[in-house]
Amino acid sequence: MISAQVLAPETLTVGWLIYAPVLAWAVLRAPWVELFTDRRRQHLLFGTVFTLFVLWLVRRDFDTGVSYHFIGMTAVTLLLDWPLAIVGGLVAQLGLVALGRQDLAAVGINGALLVLLPVLVTECCAILVERAQPRNPFVYIFCSGFFAAALSALLCLLLALGLLWFDGRFAMPEWLEDFVGYLWLIIFPEAFINGMVVSALVVFYPEWLETFNRTRYLSAPWKDDEPGR
């Protein structure tokens, strides 16, 4: 998460120009009728937003104006689908703003990096997996869970670093060439947390996952029976 003090006003404006239209589109596409009539979905949404809010509170704040915390949006996207995932990410951010742990002016750029980007990556991975129509649920867990979370964390870190470098208002560390070595310390835990959550949901509560095809993964056999056997 990036503080507004280390970003140029133009960058903050661009962040809002990207975040606000997609947020409005998500609000229009969200299944509000099903949400208001299905108490299970309501509990999932409220519980997910609270968990996301707590996850973003557990972070390391640096004096330079940046903060490190886990993203968690991959599991949220697979659980709620992308419209409600974006809305839930906004509510979690507003909770941080209310506690003074995030700048209101930086909600747009942080929302684009920490919400929209992971949701986009996860949704693309889920669509590609669904088009392949695998019967093994581990393909869904690995590609939509572990891999999507790792790729989201990598792209988020690189884009955030690129923004800080482009604005020129952030003092880059002298050990920037060693940054690649530290990427694994951030990417692997992000992939592990999201992947474990998705794995647990597939095993115990597959009906909670909006992007999980229970009919194909859990009902159909993994291999077609050979003739004569």
Side-chain angles (χ1 to χ4, degrees), residues 57-129:
L57 274 180
V58 182
R59 66 190 196 183
R60 173 68 169 89
D61 294 323
F62 296 94
D63 297 335
T64 53
V66 297
S67 303
Y68 165 71
H69 58 79
F70 295 114
I71 303 174
M73 286 302 301
T74 295
V76 173
T77 304
L78 297 177
L79 187 64
L80 301 177
D81 209 356
W82 71 267
L84 288 181
I86 294 176
V87 174
L90 172 66
V91 176
Q93 282 199 97
L94 294 179
L96 295 178
V97 172
L99 292 182
R101 302 297 300 274
Q102 183 178 351
D103 300 325
L104 181 60
V107 168
I109 193 66
N110 285 316
L113 289 174
L114 300 176
V115 178
L116 298 187
L117 180 60
V119 168
L120 176 62
V121 172
T122 304
E123 189 68 15
C124 290
C125 291
I127 291 175
L128 291 176
V129 170

Side-chain angles (χ1 to χ4, degrees), residues 127-159:
I127 291 175
L128 291 176
V129 170
E130 190 62 24
R131 286 182 178 178
Q133 295 188 351
R135 296 185 176 183
N136 192 328
F138 291 104
V139 176
Y140 174 87
I141 293 173
F142 178 79
C143 295
S144 299
F146 286 94
F147 176 76
L151 182 59
S152 299
L154 175 62
L155 294 179
C156 182
L157 285 170
L158 294 180
L159 285 178

Side-chain angles (χ1 to χ4, degrees), residues 1 5-7 32 46 49 55 63 87 91 95 116 144 149-150 154 166 168 172 183 187 195-196 214:
M1 192 165 290
Q5 285 73 22
V6 297
L7 292 174
W32 298 113
F46 297 150
V49 170
L55 182 66
D63 297 335
V87 174
V91 176
L116 298 187
S144 299
L154 175 62
F166 179 78
M172 289 294 178
L183 285 178
I187 295 174
M196 287 296 100
R214 300 190 299 275

